[in-house]
């Protein structure tokens, strides 16, 4: 529980006015102590009301200013109050939240400055690895669940190609061709671009052979880069992120991304899939006493880079609506301008670390950031360039939903380990989890690729390679489009009664429990 303030009447008048804006009566998270005129005022505590954590937030600031420690500070307090947390560990230094911190001179000094009763405490944690690459329980998604809008961003398709991919998903849904992994989608596109499939292609309005060919080449190159591991079954159930421990503490789910940090389009879009899947599945809860989950979206600028209008529209709508389902989203990035205005307008809780103003562009960004804050008693341009590590400018939503006064804050020290946990310990923790047996082993069941491959029997002559070909074995694409496989395919698919998959934001498929 928040520590009681004492002696607040002795505060300077402006500081007292700011401090009164954070004197909440209900449960809250403690961020730190107010800074005024260069002095830390430990009797003026800066806090966030727990019920307001589903109103979303932003943690921003230049590299090395303490953003990761801030999200660690918030996450461990959420866990202590029974709220599950999701953390994306891009640099590999967030895993320490599972272990007790180390008391040293810096920690003791910071705790004394802000009147923090510091006790080394680790949080209950589950470790995941995208596609099983890294240390943790593998996280995969099926292609059909991922949907055309998210996949288009990963493949870096243009708007026309994105719309065409949506038509291909629609076709596969109708025909009952399940897109479990990348080879399933590649098989469907290969069929539609083959001589046997052109009749079907003509029936898909707006999809040209040339565009389908571009998509097929993009898929083939994408798979050749080793991306197949991220798609398939068993698909991760995002409901796992909502768990609490027997002692009432919220589980902290840490997705390790250090092993795939050179694939930013992929991992940032996967994070969006997790959020979209939660949005689909969770019921409306309205205004709850505390969030069901708080989702920290680190390196958020990667999500918006090169995003299509359809992607940004869906993202904005997801952020706007998921609040009513009890999920809070915090975007963590270097600069406020990294986040589109429509999204930024929905982020009621702000923790802004120091900014640099070395170049004209930096100075322009600084002025733009200042304009996003409410009127303040501080000179924010001067303040934001002078903050030290572990200090930030804060404004949050009060218990009544109104913005609090802008408060320069010296932040508390996290009580968990401020650094990574040994890789061996991560592996042991993942394998000891009851979820490991459920997700560790990939499964390749019959889906679109197998269904298309089994159409028609090949004769001896059809198995021979063309005289001019020197390849001993046909490629996967050749296997799919080989005429022997599709003798009856156009007729059967044309009359087959398919099943349409219900899709929502991002074109993602609703999970069938």
């Amino acid at each position: 529980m928040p520590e009681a303030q004492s002696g607040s009447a002795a505060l300077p008048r402006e500081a007292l006015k700011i401090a009164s804006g954070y004197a909440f009566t209900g449960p809250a998270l403690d961020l730190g102590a107010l800074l005024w005129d260069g002095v830390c005022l430990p009797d003026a505590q800066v806090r966030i009301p727990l019920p307001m954590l589903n109103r979303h937030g932003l943690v921003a600031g230049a590299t090395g200013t303490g953003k990761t420690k801030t999200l660690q500070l918030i996450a461990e307090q959420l866990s202590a109050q029974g709220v599950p947390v999701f953390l994306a560990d891009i640099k590999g230094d967030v895993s320490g939240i599972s272990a007790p911190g180390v008391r040293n001179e810096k920690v003791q000094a910071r705790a004394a400055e802000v009147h923090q009763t510091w006790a080394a405490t680790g949080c209950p944690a589950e470790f995941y690895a995208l596609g099983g690459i890294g240390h943790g329980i593998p996280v995969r998604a099926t292609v059909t669940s991922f949907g055309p809008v998210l996949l288009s961003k990963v493949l870096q398709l243009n708007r026309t190609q994105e719309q065409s991919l949506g038509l291909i998903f629609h076709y596969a849904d109708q025909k009952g061709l399940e897109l479990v992994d990348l080879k399933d989608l590649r098989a469907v596109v290969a069929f539609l671009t083959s001589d046997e499939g052109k009749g079907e292609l003509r029936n898909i309005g707006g999809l040209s052979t040339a565009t389908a060919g571009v998509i097929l080449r993009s898929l083939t190159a994408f798979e050749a880069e080793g991306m197949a591991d991220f798609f398939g079954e068993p698909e991760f159930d995002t409901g796992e992120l909502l768990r609490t421990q027997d002692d009432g503490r919220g589980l902290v789910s840490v997705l390790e991304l250090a092993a795939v940090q050179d694939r930013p389009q992929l991992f940032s879009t996967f994070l969006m899939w997790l959020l979209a899947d939660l949005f689909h599945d969770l019921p409306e809860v309205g205004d709850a006493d505390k969030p069901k989950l708080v989702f920290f979206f680190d390196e958020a600028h990667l999500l918006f880079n090169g995003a299509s209008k359809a992607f940004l529209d869906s993202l904005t709508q997801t952020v706007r609506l998921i609040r009513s389902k009890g999920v809070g989203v915090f975007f963590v990035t270097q600069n406020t301008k990294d986040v589109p205005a429509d999204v930024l307008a929905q982020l009621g809780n702000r923790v802004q670390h120091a900014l640099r103003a070395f170049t004209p562009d930096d100075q322009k960004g600084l002025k733009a950031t200042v304009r996003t804050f409410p009127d303040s008693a501080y000179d924010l341009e001067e303040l934001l360039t002078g903050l030290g590590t572990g200090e930030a400018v804060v404004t949050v939503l009060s218990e009544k939903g109104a913005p609090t006064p802008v408060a320069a804050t010296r932040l508390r020290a996290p009580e968990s380990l401020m650094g990574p946990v040994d890789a061996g310990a991560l592996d042991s923790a993942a394998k000891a989890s009851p979820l490991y047996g459920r997700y560790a082993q990939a499964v390749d069941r019959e889906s679109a690729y197998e269904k298309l491959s089994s159409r028609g029997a090949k004769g001896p002559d059809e198995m021979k390679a063309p005289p001019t070909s020197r390849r001993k074995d046909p490629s996967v694409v050749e296997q799919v489009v080989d005429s022997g496989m599709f003798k009856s395919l156009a007729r059967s698919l044309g009359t087959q009664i398919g099943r349409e998959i219900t899709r929502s934001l991002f074109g993602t498929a609703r999970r069938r429990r």
Side-chain angles (χ1 to χ4, degrees):
M1 293 297 292
E3 295 173 2
Q5 296 183 25
S6 62
S8 56
L11 297 174
R13 178 178 298 178
E14 287 290 348
L16 181 61
K17 184 177 178 181
I18 295 171
S20 65
Y22 293 87
F24 310 125
T25 57
L29 308 186
D30 297 308
L31 292 181
L34 182 69
L35 287 170
W36 181 257
D37 200 21
V39 178
C40 181
L41 305 174
D43 291 326
Q45 291 291 309
V46 178
R47 304 152 70 211
I48 305 179
L50 185 61
M52 292 296 110
L53 267 296
N54 71 335
R55 301 296 181 95
H56 310 319
L58 176 73
V59 178
T63 300
T65 55
K67 297 190 299 295
T68 300
K69 301 302 179 286
T70 295
L71 67 88
Q72 190 171 343
L73 173 68
I74 296 174
E76 62 189 25
Q77 291 188 64
L78 284 168
S79 173
Q81 300 210 41
V83 179
V85 177
F86 172 85
L87 297 175
D89 188 6
I90 294 175
K91 298 187 287 287
D93 55 357
V94 180
S95 59
I97 197 168
S98 64
V102 177
R103 184 185 295 274
N104 55 38
E105 290 183 4
K106 287 185 177 180
V107 168
Q108 287 181 303
R110 177 57 60 96
E113 288 172 346
V114 299
H115 283 189
Q116 174 187 6
T117 304
W118 191 92
T121 309
C123 298
E126 196 83 85
F127 298 99
Y128 299 97
L130 195 57
I133 298 177
H135 308 283
I137 300 161
V139 172
R140 306 179 189 87
T142 62
V143 170
T144 197
S145 174
F146 208 69
V149 177
L150 293 177
L151 190 58
S152 293
K153 188 172 189 300
V154 170
L155 296 175
Q156 301 183 43
L157 302 181
N158 63 31
R159 182 180 178 185
T160 298
Q161 294 159 358
E162 177 186 292
Q163 293 170 340
S164 297
L165 185 61
L167 293 173
I168 293 170
F169 270 76
H170 177 73
Y171 172 81
D173 292 349
Q174 282 189 319
K175 301 302 182 182
L177 295 171
E178 293 182 272
L179 306 177
V180 174
D181 51 28
L182 289 179
K183 72 176 184 297
D184 290 323
L185 179 57
R186 188 157 43 81
V188 172
V189 181
F191 165 64
L192 291 173
T193 56
S194 70
D195 290 339
E196 290 77 10
K198 286 181 179 178
E200 293 291 310
L201 186 68
R202 284 192 293 270
N203 294 329
I204 306 175
L207 178 58
S208 69
T209 303
T211 301
V214 170
I215 294 172
L216 180 60
R217 289 192 294 274
S218 296
L219 280 169
T220 302
F222 185 68
E223 194 168 6
E225 292 173 0
M227 304 299 186
D229 290 337
F230 307 108
F231 297 93
E233 290 182 324
E235 182 176 75
F236 181 69
D237 183 352
T238 52
E240 311 285 11
L241 304 179
L242 304 174
R243 292 177 294 150
T244 56
Q245 296 295 95
D246 292 339
D247 61 7
R249 290 185 296 169
L251 187 69
V252 179
S253 298
V254 181
L255 178 62
E256 181 189 319
L257 297 172
V260 293
Q261 61 178 299
D262 59 336
R263 301 165 183 172
Q265 291 281 353
L266 177 69
F267 73 67
S268 63
T269 310
F270 246 92
L271 294 180
M272 196 64 238
W273 172 76
L274 291 172
L275 198 59
D277 195 68
L278 284 165
F279 174 80
H280 291 167
D281 287 356
L282 292 176
E284 298 279 340
V285 297
D287 292 324
D289 293 337
K290 60 184 179 182
K292 284 188 174 181
L293 173 73
V294 175
F295 192 105
F296 287 91
F297 217 124
D298 204 358
E299 299 292 340
H301 65 281
L302 298 172
L303 183 66
F304 305 113
N305 287 348
S308 67
K309 184 179 185 301
F311 183 94
L312 290 176
D313 287 347
S314 296
L315 189 156
T316 303
Q317 190 174 1
T318 300
V319 173
R320 180 181 296 119
L321 298 177
I322 203 169
R323 177 183 70 80
S324 64
K325 299 193 173 190
V327 176
V329 183
F330 271 71
F331 293 98
V332 184
T333 190
Q334 291 191 19
N335 202 305
T336 302
K337 67 180 182 180
D338 295 334
V339 182
D342 288 345
V343 177
L344 188 63
Q346 300 176 57
L347 310 182
N349 303 300
R350 300 272 301 277
V351 181
Q352 176 68 59
H353 288 266
L355 291 174
R356 309 300 179 223
F358 300 138
T359 68
D361 283 345
D362 290 342
Q363 293 168 2
K364 185 178 179 180
L366 173 62
K367 291 180 182 294
T369 298
V370 169
R371 288 196 297 270
T372 65
F373 280 92
D375 290 340
S376 167
Y378 297 95
D379 180 342
L380 287 180
E381 283 192 37
E382 181 180 347
L383 178 62
L384 285 173
T385 55
L387 290 171
T389 301
E391 296 177 348
V393 172
V394 174
T395 180
V396 302
L397 293 180
S398 71
E399 293 167 311
K400 295 181 179 179
T404 59
V406 175
T409 306
R410 182 159 293 164
L411 299 168
R412 292 185 168 216
E415 296 182 343
S416 53
L417 182 65
M418 291 186 279
V421 171
D422 178 76
L426 292 181
D427 285 333
S428 297
K431 291 176 181 178
S433 169
L435 300 184
Y436 189 79
R438 188 181 307 170
Y439 295 108
Q441 186 62 47
V443 177
D444 187 11
R445 63 179 175 84
E446 184 184 61
S447 47
Y449 173 79
E450 287 77 16
K451 289 178 181 178
L452 291 174
S453 298
S454 65
R455 295 284 180 174
K458 293 183 181 179
D461 293 337
E462 293 172 313
M463 292 293 290
K464 295 179 181 178
T468 56
S469 174
R470 295 184 179 181
R471 287 181 292 182
K472 296 181 179 179
D473 299 311
S475 69
V476 174
V477 173
E478 288 172 332
Q479 293 176 38
V480 174
V481 302
D482 186 88
S483 59
M485 288 195 274
F486 297 111
K487 291 293 185 182
S488 62
L489 185 59
R491 294 192 300 273
S492 63
L493 286 184
T495 57
Q496 179 180 340
I497 298 176
R499 53 179 176 76
E500 183 70 27
I501 292 177
T502 302
R503 295 187 177 276
S504 188
L505 295 176
F506 294 103
T508 48
R510 292 184 182 275
R511 189 187 298 274
R512 289 190 294 272
R513 302 290 184 192

